[in-house]
Amino acid sequence: MAYDYAPFPYTAPPGLAAPEPRHPVAIVGAGPIGLAMAIDLAQHGIASVVLDDNNVVSVGSRAICWAKRTLEIFDRLGVADRMMQKGVTWKIGRQFHGRDEVFAFDLLPEDGHRFPAFINLQQYYVEEYLVDRARAFPDLIDLRFLNKVTAHEDHNDHARLTVETPDGPYTLEADYLIACDGAGSPTRTRMGLDFTGQTFQEQFLIADIEMADSPFGDHATPERWFWFDPPFHPGKSALLHMQPDNIYRIDLQLDVDADGRAEATEEKVLPRIRAIVGDKPFRLDWMSVYKFRCIKLDRFVHGRVIFVGDSAHVVSPFGARGGNGGIQDIDNLGWKLAAVLQGQAPAALIESYHEERSFGSAENILNSARATNFMTPKTPVEALFRAEVLRLAHDHPFARRLLNSGRLSQPCSLAGMALQTPPEDPAPMTPGRAVADAPLTGPEGDTWLVRVLPAGFVLLGVGAVALPAIDGLARVGIAQTGDHPCFDDPGGFARARYGDGWAYLIRPDGHVCAAFRAPTEAAVRRALSRTRGNDLPEATA
């Protein structure tokens, strides 16, 4: 294979010899979500132990598409630069019907953003970078490979875990257990929790191939190509992506009743790939078969056990909403859990993680299910609609926007939810939205808005608006002067996106939680108290 799957070292845990002190947080699963969770918590000063039953990164490319919002989160976690250096940047998608291109779209048509719409980077690289970053916090992140959690108990004020190792079993306790153990979550299974939603019968084959020559027509610019009824795979759908190391991802729709194991063989796969790439030499790197699933837990928080990422929700791959949604989970949960553990917020704040991310996952599932039904119609009416849209898309622009090969990942808005304060006047940046980036200049030269916002809560002012000084609340100004850090807006992007004369209270996860025309200390303090969960009902076990 193209990647060297070097094992991580195993070290006998202290719990084998003597009882361990209670950990603030135990994280089950050292995939991208679990590792990112540990780093996020460490940056808030919270220690965690990460337990994984394996000792290598994920085999196969798996999640490869990382969205702009996710890259902004990864930047805060300290791995985005490395991902950008290795990843393949793209923003153009093309859709084909038969041999004809019927629609092309630009996912980030405007300038003034630090990160691109998407990069493609294999999951094993992301995990490698996150492990390296986690090791930068030796006093706050305890990585334990070949430590398999076999049982757990919720004791209301803590969780008790039984862990199996090559040297035998041991137990540990943690104030909170975060389940990042994937779609087949053993934690969820032990608790008897069921997913609700849809499991579709359609199957897709993933094949990663290593190929020196670009398959993207007469140019080598990486793009996303999707075919409906291609000549090389008639009556089905297909997708093509480029990854680093000259690896290309090909997804091919299979028959509903196809035998997945039989399809994932070189005898079946190699002729299909040759039909796509022609006589270009290639090497098969990895393959797998999957079914569409659009399912989630009814509740993400169960006492001292919190579900994050695929353990809480699963979507079909088209739209890149799985891994990106999981990273948005940790971004939402990390600051809240830290505030509760540090005694700065009531336990009810953790319940808001369920409210906000259950909503976000439902939005992802809705988009994913719609794409699935368009790609693989379930009823005669859906089949007729798809056939007519594809026919009309050749000649009519209105029909092209109805094509659905997966609405690609976007951050969800939290507008109207409990932690956000509705503005008195309509604000250019509505409370609930994720911060929009903008290029700035400051004392140290050119920079970006997403990079100058300090950790924690921030009061951001744009243009002619006075920012009250409040102990413990950072202030940042754009196109203004004051005794707080101020930056110029040379291209006018910040003023265009935030409005001139507006102030915004921004949460630690980069979501706007309040907007003000004339912020008073009292109004900002009320909004800050609300966002910290002080207005929420008392949490229940």
Side-chain angles (χ1 to χ4, degrees):
M1 302 183 83
Y3 182 81
D4 179 18
Y5 292 91
F8 298 119
Y10 161 78
T11 301
L16 288 169
E20 300 182 20
R22 184 178 294 178
H23 299 267
V25 177
I27 299 170
V28 183
I33 309 307
L35 291 165
M37 186 81 257
I39 296 167
D40 194 341
L41 289 171
Q43 290 186 325
H44 290 289
I46 299 298
S48 66
V49 55
V50 182
L51 306 162
D52 196 279
D53 61 359
N54 208 335
N55 67 339
V56 294
V57 297
S58 297
V59 175
S61 60
R62 300 185 184 274
I64 65 168
C65 296
W66 304 101
K68 176 181 177 293
R69 173 62 181 156
T70 301
L71 292 170
E72 292 171 353
I73 298 168
F74 276 137
D75 190 43
R76 180 173 58 77
L77 299 182
V79 296
D81 284 346
R82 203 171 170 191
M83 292 176 64
M84 289 290 295
Q85 290 168 7
K86 184 67 177 180
V88 172
T89 297
W90 64 277
K91 65 172 186 170
I92 300 297
R94 299 187 188 277
Q95 295 177 323
F96 300 83
H97 182 213
R99 297 181 182 278
D100 299 332
E101 179 182 330
V102 292
F103 186 47
F105 53 89
D106 187 335
L107 289 164
L108 192 62
E110 62 179 15
D111 294 327
H113 295 272
R114 163 74 175 87
F115 292 103
F118 278 90
I119 67 166
N120 283 356
L121 182 65
Q122 296 94 321
Q123 182 171 322
Y124 44 73
Y125 280 119
V126 176
E127 291 183 19
E128 174 191 331
Y129 301 162
L130 288 168
V131 168
D132 289 346
R133 177 61 174 155
R135 287 174 171 158
F137 300 90
D139 297 330
L140 291 170
I141 300 178
D142 183 354
L143 290 175
R144 300 186 186 182
F145 297 102
L146 298 180
N147 278 241
K148 181 180 180 180
V149 177
T150 57
H152 77 274
E153 302 167 353
D154 188 338
H155 290 276
N156 294 323
D157 66 339
H158 72 279
R160 182 178 176 86
L161 290 71
T162 301
V163 187
E164 184 67 43
T165 77
D167 295 318
Y170 69 100
T171 61
L172 64 80
E173 294 181 349
D175 292 329
Y176 285 92
L177 165 60
I178 303 181
C180 303
D181 46 356
S185 171
T187 307
R188 191 183 64 240
T189 301
R190 285 193 299 270
M191 295 176 67
L193 300 175
D194 293 327
F195 276 140
T196 57
Q198 291 178 281
T199 296
F200 300 90
Q201 294 304 308
E202 287 75 18
Q203 300 182 91
F204 273 75
L205 169 76
I206 294 177
D208 279 358
I209 63 171
E210 184 178 4
M211 185 169 60
D213 298 324
S214 170
F216 288 105
D218 58 357
H219 65 85
T221 303
E223 297 178 343
R224 178 189 193 262
W225 284 15
F226 190 97
W227 288 268
F228 297 98
D229 193 20
F232 55 80
H233 198 47
K236 303 292 191 301
S237 300
L239 175 67
L240 175 65
H241 265 294
M242 182 181 181
Q243 305 171 63
D245 305 327
N246 290 326
I247 300 291
Y248 293 86
R249 160 75 61 85
I250 297 171
D251 291 57
L252 295 170
Q253 182 185 351
L254 302 175
D255 291 327
V256 172
D257 57 355
D259 182 338
R261 289 188 177 182
E263 296 295 336
T265 61
E266 292 194 10
E267 179 183 4
K268 290 274 192 176
V269 171
L270 294 181
R272 286 173 168 154
I273 295 175
R274 291 192 186 100
I276 300 172
V277 305
D279 58 2
K280 295 182 175 68
F282 67 89
R283 181 189 64 82
L284 184 62
D285 186 70
W286 175 71
M287 58 183 168
S288 181
V289 173
Y290 63 88
K291 283 187 176 182
F292 283 164
R293 293 195 293 169
C294 296
I295 49 181
K296 72 180 192 71
L297 286 174
D298 291 333
R299 287 195 54 78
F300 291 3
V301 179
H302 292 261
R304 293 284 166 155
V305 183
I306 306 171
F307 291 88
V308 178
D310 284 353
S311 72
H313 47 77
V314 178
V315 295
S316 59
F318 294 102
R321 293 173 179 268
N324 289 292
I327 294 300
Q328 290 177 40
D329 286 352
I330 71 101
D331 192 46
N332 187 287
L333 176 61
W335 70 272
K336 298 174 179 178
L337 186 55
V340 171
L341 287 168
Q342 292 165 344
Q344 299 171 356
L349 184 61
I350 296 174
E351 286 294 321
S352 74
Y353 160 73
H354 163 72
E355 178 196 21
E356 294 181 345
R357 290 310 302 158
S358 180
F359 171 80
S361 65
E363 183 175 278
N364 286 334
I365 284 172
L366 177 63
N367 280 281
S368 185
R370 285 173 174 171
T372 301
N373 287 329
F374 187 86
M375 286 186 280
T376 57
K378 307 299 182 296
T379 67
V381 171
E382 288 178 348
L384 177 62
F385 174 76
R386 174 186 136 130
E388 287 303 296
V389 167
L390 287 169
R391 181 181 66 82
L392 291 168
H394 287 260
D395 302 307
H396 300 283
F398 83 90
R400 293 166 191 161
R401 297 195 173 276
L402 298 176
L403 296 171
N404 194 342
S405 62
R407 303 295 187 231
L408 289 155
S409 177
Q410 295 285 335
C412 76
S413 172
L414 308 176
M417 296 190 186
L419 301 188
Q420 281 58 253
T421 299
E424 294 182 0
D425 300 315
M429 184 65 61
T430 306
R433 289 180 58 188
V435 166
D437 200 8
L440 306 174
T441 58
E444 298 181 3
D446 294 340
T447 185
W448 297 90
L449 176 57
V450 294
R451 284 201 155 176
V452 304
L453 293 176
F457 286 92
V458 182
L459 187 61
L460 174 69
V462 182
V465 59
L467 303 180
I470 298 174
D471 289 343
L473 179 61
R475 294 179 295 164
V476 171
I478 299 175
Q480 60 180 227
T481 59
D483 58 354
H484 52 277
C486 292
F487 299 85
D488 293 329
D489 179 26
F493 289 101
R495 282 167 289 188
R497 291 166 185 166
Y498 290 86
D500 204 339
W502 281 89
Y504 297 91
L505 183 62
I506 299 172
R507 302 177 357 172
D509 60 4
H511 279 264
V512 173
C513 54
F516 311 91
R517 262 298 190 187
T520 64
E521 179 178 345
V524 174
R525 286 188 181 277
R526 283 195 300 271
L528 187 59
S529 177
R530 175 173 179 159
T531 304
R532 285 177 168 157
N534 293 320
D535 295 346
L536 295 173
E538 184 176 348
T540 57

